[in-house]
Amino acid sequence: MAKKFIEDLVKEMTLEEKLGQMTQLSPEFLGIDPTMDLTGPMNEFNVQPQWLDKIGSTLNGYGARQLRAIQEKNMKESRLHIPILFMGDVVFGYRTGFPIPLAMGCSFNPDNYEKASHIAAKESAASGLHLTFAPMTDLVRDPRWGRVMESTGEDAWLNCQMTKAAVHGFQGDDFKEKGRIAACVKHFAGYGAPWGGRDYNMVDISEGVLREYYLPAYKAAVDAHVAMVMTSFNPVNRIPSSANQWLLRDILRKEWGFEGPVISDYASVDETISHGVARDGAEAAQKCIQAGVDIEMMSTNYLSYVSQLLEEGRLDISLIDEAVTRILELKDALGLFENPYKDASEEDEAALHRCSQHLQAAYDIAVGCPVLLKNQGVLPLGPEVKTIGLAGPFAGCEKTEADESLYLSLKRRLPYANIITAMTEPLGSLQRGIKDVEDQVQAAAEALKDCDVIIAAVGECGEDFGEAASKTCLRLSPNQERLLWALKQTGRPVVMIVHSGRPMEIYPVMDCADGIIQGWHLGCEEGIALADILTGKVNPSGRLTMSIPYNVGQIPVHYNAFNTGRPTQGKDERYISRYLDCPNEALFAFGYGLTYSRFEYSAFETQVLECEGCCPDETVVARAGITVKNVSDRTGTEVVQLYIRDIAAQVVRPVKELRGFNRVELAPGEFRTITFDITREMLAYWNNDGEFVFEPGEFDLMIGSSSADVETARVTIGQSR
Ligand code: BGC
């Protein structure tokens, strides 16, 4: 039941006022031009001047001064003085830049994701924002898709932990409080599975796969009381998400009990016409409202056609009233009726943005994200390293003036070292391979040939990943590869740092480097975080949450693949499920990552607890324990991982699924016993009768340091033996 004042307000509103609440436009339409980042096609939509004082929310306008001015105007000029809700994309930090979510995933550290989200909430709230379009929890298995960088990776279970952490980080226990903002989980549903990795493309997934892999993280957000849900651009099984009643009403509302508003993605109501499921704007509005989209982002079909649809009896006014009620309830929950400006404050902006405490947190979080992929005795750089060669476009030029480059960070950490740079021009035609740079490459190798070590900071720049940045080739640019080969020819040890928003195809240049760090993009503290890992001040602890393929032809390659009737048995046989020219497994698998320490695992122990199939889902049915010891002379962090496999079920099950992890920091010689509790829920799967079931039987429990390096124990659970 809505509060009385909201019920009364809805009764008092004209149809146009209601539809204004159900429409989101960028602030430029409201006559003010804050700094904006518009991501969609610039449709010329028919915005009528009389709508403008009725618009319920804006997107991607930021800044306390500008947003206060918009709100002030609205509170003065609109008839019912309903506050505007300011929304925007705060995805990897606001002014203090944090690692991209894929890198955050690799930290296997939900607490850090929560901290980063909290800081982003504080900073953006001071700039007048009320809600962020985050977290993006789309499961990703195809690095050709440019937006894998916005997800925490390929595993549903890990994504659920990260999603809950992010939602709580933004919202706290009550997003009305100062320094908190509402969160909007996106993109519901399955946006991470477009055909061929091409953005905005078709998604066609069986219900079992959707339920077990693609939906859980959105549900985790709903269970964590996320304020809003955004639909996706793609169709799910041939119906665009914004017009998909099964997704939005049956699953989201009825099954999961979500009560907040649903917003379309950018112009995706309009796009139902391009998808060919609506003949015109009127039908687009009708279908999306019937499906349950409460707010139309950046198109105006609701305002243009709902009146006609009501007159023709094609829509029921109760659907409009329900939608408006949900939107007003969110505004009320944010406290906007009492204080329409919430935390917007220029003083707080000055005090909070990139304050030393936030920068320290950005550093602490960033150092946990890089993944050490290869180390043939070259890292960490020892005191004997006096001359360092630094090459590649990420050595120093991609950083803003305020962010310290890798070059400056190395200088700060190693004041005695001589650092020689070569070919550090930013990515552009030069680095992309359009221009022939053979001469520069040779000159760079010549300049660095006497260095004790060469660091090559290579990868892809911001424009090459993210939205609408799909690729068919994931190799480094030809000029970067050429540079790496030339550096290898010097005979000096080479460390390659891969700065990318997606797993890249590094196999062809693997041999050029003695050490490889998957550095991702780490935000404003990237330079110093990497310098500290290179010099050993920090021991790397990141683990991959997205498999790195040998080549594009292997995609999708993810660790939790289904078994086939003809799996490889390790023998060289012809008629089995495999490629002739490449292994089935990834080059670097999910969960993989080296450190400067060495850990030893004891034999692992299992305990099956009595269960006759009668206990509730959360009940622990088995335990698995293992002792891990640091057998090196350096303190380090091991990420101990638990996987399970159901040996026989009604439907085909994956060869492994992550069900637990534990980051443990161990001093030299220190050991710790890690125990994982296994519940019925962790062993359940979506069966052909359309339900999650736990079936007693045999399971493999696996513990290890990556999905490709585990010890296995077979247990029988839930059956009297
Ligand atoms: C993206 C969303 C984003 C929205 C608003 C869309 O193009 O898909 O993730 O929240 O724009 O900027």
Side-chain angles (χ1 to χ4, degrees):
M1 268 296 272
K3 285 187 187 163
K4 174 92 177 43
F5 97 92
I6 291 181
E7 275 182 11
D8 292 345
L9 195 53
V10 175
K11 280 189 201 134
E12 211 185 322
M13 290 167 84
T14 63
L15 181 61
E16 207 163 66
E17 282 166 342
K18 291 177 185 172
L19 299 172
Q21 289 300 314
M22 293 172 69
T23 302
Q24 176 166 93
L25 292 178
S26 54
E28 73 190 320
F29 286 99
L30 307 189
I32 295 188
D33 184 26
T35 322
M36 273 183 317
D37 183 18
L38 299 181
T39 53
M42 300 298 135
N43 287 338
E44 287 290 315
F45 33 78
N46 162 38
V47 176
Q48 307 289 316
Q50 74 275 13
W51 295 342
L52 293 178
D53 63 350
K54 303 180 182 71
I55 295 302
S57 58
T58 68
L59 79 160
N60 293 349
Y62 306 95
R65 197 171 48 80
Q66 296 94 317
L67 295 185
R68 284 191 86 93
I70 295 181
Q71 194 72 291
E72 235 165 59
K73 185 165 178 276
N74 166 66
M75 297 312 282
K76 239 189 263 154
E77 292 174 11
S78 67
R79 187 179 74 97
L80 295 170
H81 314 295
I82 300 172
I84 296 177
L85 214 166
F86 297 124
M87 311 188 188
D89 294 294
V90 177
V91 178
F92 30 92
Y94 183 60
R95 288 294 175 262
T96 302
F98 288 100
I100 57 171
L102 188 55
M104 284 282 191
C106 293
S107 71
F108 274 76
N109 193 333
D111 291 347
N112 277 357
Y113 202 24
E114 176 163 351
K115 253 182 237 156
S117 307
H118 186 189
I119 289 173
K122 278 197 239 176
E123 292 192 357
S124 58
S127 283
L129 206 75
H130 304 142
L131 179 147
T132 173
F133 298 129
M136 176 183 123
T137 60
D138 304 314
L139 185 99
V140 291
R141 292 175 165 177
D142 189 336
R144 291 173 298 179
W145 191 50
R147 297 191 81 170
V148 301
M149 49 94 48
E150 286 179 68
S151 163
T152 47
E154 73 185 32
D155 183 71
W157 197 84
L158 181 83
N159 288 358
C160 287
Q161 320 305 316
M162 295 308 246
T163 298
K164 281 189 265 180
V167 170
H168 196 250
F170 289 123
Q171 299 193 158
D173 296 328
D174 181 358
F175 48 70
K176 188 187 262 183
E177 279 170 16
K178 189 165 166 82
R180 299 292 184 174
I181 56 176
C184 168
V185 68
K186 68 189 187 185
H187 306 82
F188 191 65
Y191 184 39
W195 278 3
R198 203 175 324 151
D199 210 355
Y200 317 121
N201 221 278
M202 190 67 173
V203 169
D204 198 47
I205 318 180
S206 72
E207 186 173 352
V209 170
L210 192 69
R211 294 280 188 172
E212 284 189 31
Y213 304 98
Y214 287 90
L215 295 188
Y218 310 113
K219 177 158 190 302
V222 170
D223 291 344
H225 309 292
V226 75
M228 196 164 88
V229 173
M230 186 189 291
T231 62
S232 55
F233 289 118
N234 56 281
V236 171
N237 301 343
R238 301 186 301 156
I239 304 195
S241 298
S242 297
N244 198 318
Q245 294 204 23
W246 176 67
L247 275 181
L248 302 181
R249 293 216 183 262
D250 297 348
I251 297 181
L252 182 64
R253 295 222 182 271
K254 287 199 199 112
E255 277 183 40
W256 298 355
F258 180 66
E259 291 179 347
V262 170
I263 189 167
S264 77
D265 201 352
Y266 202 108
S268 72
V269 170
D270 218 44
E271 288 169 17
T272 56
I273 305 172
S274 314
H275 278 297
V277 301
R279 272 181 295 268
D280 51 25
E283 199 176 11
Q286 181 191 17
K287 287 203 164 177
C288 295
I289 290 173
Q290 280 169 342
V293 174
D294 302 313
I295 304 177
E296 176 178 13
M297 182 198 288
M298 288 303 269
S299 52
T300 55
N301 298 292
Y302 289 6
L303 272 161
S304 303
Y305 303 111
V306 165
S307 153
Q308 172 197 334
L309 290 168
L310 291 169
E311 273 164 33
E312 292 170 4
R314 289 164 65 191
L315 259 190
D316 195 308
I317 186 72
S318 64
L319 291 181
I320 307 296
D321 289 347
E322 276 169 25
V324 173
T325 303
R326 282 193 279 265
I327 297 161
L328 298 181
E329 280 176 332
L330 175 56
K331 293 185 176 190
D332 179 45
L334 278 157
L336 299 181
F337 285 101
E338 293 96 65
N339 173 13
Y341 308 100
K342 198 169 180 302
D343 301 348
S345 146
E346 287 181 71
E347 285 100 76
D348 287 353
E349 282 182 307
L352 290 170
H353 289 176
R354 294 177 69 102
C355 65
S356 55
Q357 208 192 350
H358 292 181
L359 291 175
Q360 179 64 45
Y363 167 82
D364 294 341
I365 291 168
V367 288
C369 297
V371 184
L372 180 62
L373 299 177
K374 176 177 178 182
N375 189 12
Q376 288 179 331
V378 61
L379 289 173
L381 307 179
E384 71 287 355
V385 173
K386 299 278 190 295
T387 310
I388 299 176
L390 188 55
F394 293 94
C397 312
E398 277 261 319
K399 302 263 91 186
T400 64
E401 269 166 41
D403 297 340
E404 191 178 76
S405 65
L406 179 59
Y407 170 73
L408 289 176
S409 303
L410 277 171
K411 270 184 100 84
R412 175 144 68 103
R413 285 295 185 246
L414 304 174
Y416 59 83
N418 178 19
I419 302 177
I420 306 173
T421 61
M423 259 192 101
T424 58
E425 297 84 352
L427 288 164
S429 58
L430 195 68
Q431 294 292 344
R432 285 231 175 95
I434 298 166
K435 216 162 133 185
D436 183 6
V437 291
E438 196 49 40
D439 289 351
Q440 281 112 304
V441 163
Q442 290 313 326
E446 180 60 28
L448 305 184
K449 73 175 192 322
D450 296 323
C451 293
D452 297 323
V453 68
I454 301 174
I455 296 163
V458 295
E460 49 173 19
C461 64
E463 292 143 41
D464 280 5
F465 54 85
E467 188 172 348
S470 300
K471 283 181 170 179
T472 60
C473 175
L474 303 182
R475 287 176 68 159
L476 296 167
S477 71
N479 286 338
Q480 294 190 63
E481 288 197 355
R482 238 178 269 166
L483 173 66
L484 285 161
W485 283 112
L487 297 178
K488 158 95 177 154
Q489 294 308 312
T490 63
R492 310 312 302 159
V494 175
V495 176
M496 167 163 97
I497 306 177
V498 184
H499 296 260
S500 62
R502 52 156 66 86
M504 297 199 71
E505 204 183 315
I506 51 173
Y507 185 59
V509 286
M510 282 267 301
D511 288 346
C512 297
D514 305 275
I516 303 178
I517 297 173
Q518 176 60 53
W520 307 116
H521 287 277
L522 300 176
C524 61
E525 296 294 296
E526 175 172 289
I528 194 74
L530 288 170
D532 284 351
I533 286 176
L534 288 167
T535 56
K537 184 164 186 275
V538 171
N539 194 344
S541 62
R543 303 290 190 273
L544 291 177
T545 54
M546 206 177 167
S547 304
I548 298 185
Y550 277 89
N551 59 41
V552 169
Q554 264 193 321
I555 295 171
V557 56
H558 47 94
Y559 84 95
N560 48 357
F562 289 114
N563 215 2
T564 66
R566 294 187 174 192
T568 55
Q569 309 280 358
K571 284 182 268 164
D572 189 19
E573 282 181 280
R574 171 124 203 156
Y575 296 100
I576 51 172
S577 176
R578 62 159 184 175
Y579 297 109
L580 291 178
D581 57 352
C582 183
N584 282 0
E585 295 75 28
L587 172 62
F588 294 110
F590 177 89
Y592 174 83
L594 303 171
T595 72
Y596 299 149
S597 306
R598 265 183 312 112
F599 300 96
E600 256 175 29
Y601 285 64
S602 67
F604 90 76
E605 289 174 8
T606 59
Q607 185 192 3
V608 175
L609 304 165
E610 278 310 306
C611 170
E612 301 296 332
C614 53
C615 36
D617 286 348
E618 311 80 52
T619 307
V620 176
V621 289
R623 285 211 167 96
I626 201 152
T627 302
V628 186
K629 183 172 182 190
N630 184 345
V631 292
S632 67
D633 56 5
R634 205 177 258 275
T635 297
T637 298
E638 175 68 326
V639 180
V640 185
Q641 301 160 40
L642 168 80
Y643 297 88
I644 56 124
R645 175 176 181 180
D646 191 346
I647 301 302
Q650 291 170 40
V651 297
V652 178
R653 308 296 306 129
V655 292
K656 254 182 216 117
E657 292 178 284
L658 184 76
R659 284 296 179 266
F661 60 86
N662 201 322
R663 281 174 60 85
V664 355
E665 190 185 73
L666 297 172
E670 191 183 351
F671 57 87
R672 193 148 335 139
T673 300
I674 311 290
T675 308
F676 291 102
D677 283 350
I678 296 148
T679 63
R680 285 162 57 105
E681 198 182 7
M682 287 158 93
L683 301 174
Y685 70 94
W686 184 260
N687 71 7
N688 273 342
D689 299 326
E691 52 185 6
F692 275 102
V693 286
F694 159 74
E695 280 172 355
E698 284 189 315
F699 294 87
D700 275 348
L701 306 181
M702 293 160 261
I703 299 188
S705 61
S706 96
S707 66
D709 179 15
V710 290
E711 292 293 322
T712 305
R714 183 154 299 180
V715 292
T716 303
I717 299 178
Q719 252 174 11
S720 348
R721 278 158 297 153

